[in-house]
Amino acid sequence: MSDTVVVGLDVGGTSTRALAVTLAGERLGTGRAGGGNPTSHGAQRAAAELLTALRAALSGVDPARVRAGTIGLAGAGRLLADPAGRAAFDGAWRDAGLRCPYAVHGDALVAYASGTPSAHGTVLIAGTGAIAAQVRNLRLDRVADGHGWLLGDAGSGFWLGREAVRRLLADLDAGHAPGPLGRRVLAELLGVDRLADRLRDTVDAVVQAVTRRPPVELSQLAPLVVAAADEAEPVAAGLIGAAAGHLADSAARIRPAGAVDPVVLGGGLLT
C-alpha cells in the first residue's frame, strides 16, 4: 500500500485542478486547466480540460500506481445522469493512462471535507456559481441554491459580473457617464472605456460583447468588482454587500438556528 497513489480533481466553471498524492499525504504532482464543468462548457470541452489537468498532475507518476480517484464537480448529478458526458469523462480518464475507478461527488461535499474532519456542519461556496449545503454524516443533507447561472447562483462570481454590467447599462440608458467600476467593465469588454457620441451605440456594443461569449464568462468580471470595492468605489461596495447578503440568506435556509458545528467556506470568490 505504500506505493499507492490516489488522484483528486476539483472541477469548476473557471478552472480545473488535479492532485496526485500518496496515502501518507505526500504530494506527487499537481495540474491546472481551464473550466471543466460540462454544464457550462459542454462535455467534450470539459473532458479535454480534465485530461490536461490530469496529465500535468501525473507527469512524474506511473499511472499504474493510481488505485482510485475522486472528482468534485458542480452539478455532479447531471453528469452522472448523462451517458454521453460520463463517456467523455471516462475517455479522458483512460487517455491519462488511468485504469482505476473514480467517483464523482458534488463540489459542495468535497469542499466541506477539505475544510474540517467534522461529520456535521455547513458548507458555503461562492466561485463561478454559489451553493450552500448542510452536511450530516459526511453526506449532503439539505441544499440551497446551486441552481446555475440562469436560475440562481445568487452572490456568485457570475452574479457579480452580471450585476456590474447591468449597472453600467442602466447608467448609459439614463444618459449618465459611468463611474469608476463602469469604466473598468467597459474597458474589459470593449478594450477602451471611451463612450460613443451616441450612448446607445455604446450600449449596443456592450450587449453584443457579452452575448457573443458563453454566459459563464461574465464571472471573469468579478475581480474588477472586488478590486473596486477594496478602493471604496460605491457601486462596487454595494454589489459586494448585496452578494454577501445573498450568500448569507442561502446559508440561513439550510443551517439550523443556533447551530455551533463548523462552517466551511469554499470557492474562489470567498477564499
Side-chain angles (χ1 to χ4, degrees):
M1 293 295 288
S2 62
D3 196 45
T4 296
V5 176
V6 292
V7 171
L9 292 105
D10 174 18
V11 180
T14 303
S15 66
T16 300
R17 295 178 293 176
L19 171 67
V21 63
T22 69
L23 295 184
E26 179 188 0
R27 181 179 297 193
L28 301 179
T30 61
R32 192 179 185 99
N37 188 314
T39 302
S40 303
H41 302 293
Q44 294 302 322
R45 178 181 166 187
E49 300 295 349
L50 183 85
L51 178 58
T52 297
L54 273 174
R55 282 176 169 164
L58 297 171
S59 61
V61 179
D62 179 1
R65 293 177 59 193
V66 180
R67 303 295 179 84
T70 293
I71 297 175
L73 172 70
R78 289 190 289 272
L79 175 67
L80 294 173
D82 175 18
R86 187 59 188 260
F89 271 48
D90 287 347
W93 198 258
R94 290 192 302 270
D95 290 346
L98 299 173
R99 298 296 179 263
C100 61
Y102 68 91
V104 178
H105 296 287
D107 59 341
L109 183 61
V110 173
Y112 179 81
S114 75
T116 176
S118 175
H120 312 294
T122 303
V123 60
L124 177 63
I125 299 175
T128 302
I131 189 171
Q134 192 70 7
V135 175
R136 285 286 175 265
N137 296 315
L138 291 180
R139 291 290 181 268
L140 294 186
D141 184 12
R142 298 178 58 203
V143 178
D145 208 344
H147 300 147
W149 64 268
L150 184 61
L151 298 175
D153 288 350
S156 66
F158 171 87
W159 185 93
L160 276 179
R162 184 190 62 192
E163 293 304 306
V165 175
R166 283 179 166 175
R167 298 297 180 93
L168 168 62
L169 293 175
D171 282 342
L172 295 174
D173 284 346
H176 300 153
L181 175 61
R183 289 204 172 268
R184 291 186 188 188
V185 171
L186 200 60
E188 181 68 22
L189 292 175
L190 303 183
V192 295
D193 65 0
R194 185 174 62 253
L195 299 175
D197 293 337
R198 182 174 176 269
L199 289 184
R200 189 64 194 183
D201 291 339
T202 299
V203 169
D204 291 342
V206 168
V207 171
Q208 291 167 18
V210 170
T211 55
R212 278 197 301 264
R213 306 176 183 182
V216 71
E217 289 190 9
L218 278 173
S219 64
Q220 296 173 6
L221 299 176
L224 299 182
V225 182
V226 174
D230 285 342
E231 298 167 6
E233 202 275 351
V235 174
L239 290 178
I240 292 293
H246 284 307
L247 296 174
D249 287 345
S250 293
R253 288 180 218 159
I254 49 87
R255 184 171 172 84
V260 296
D261 49 21
V263 177
V264 176
L265 304 182
L269 189 61
L270 282 178
T271 60

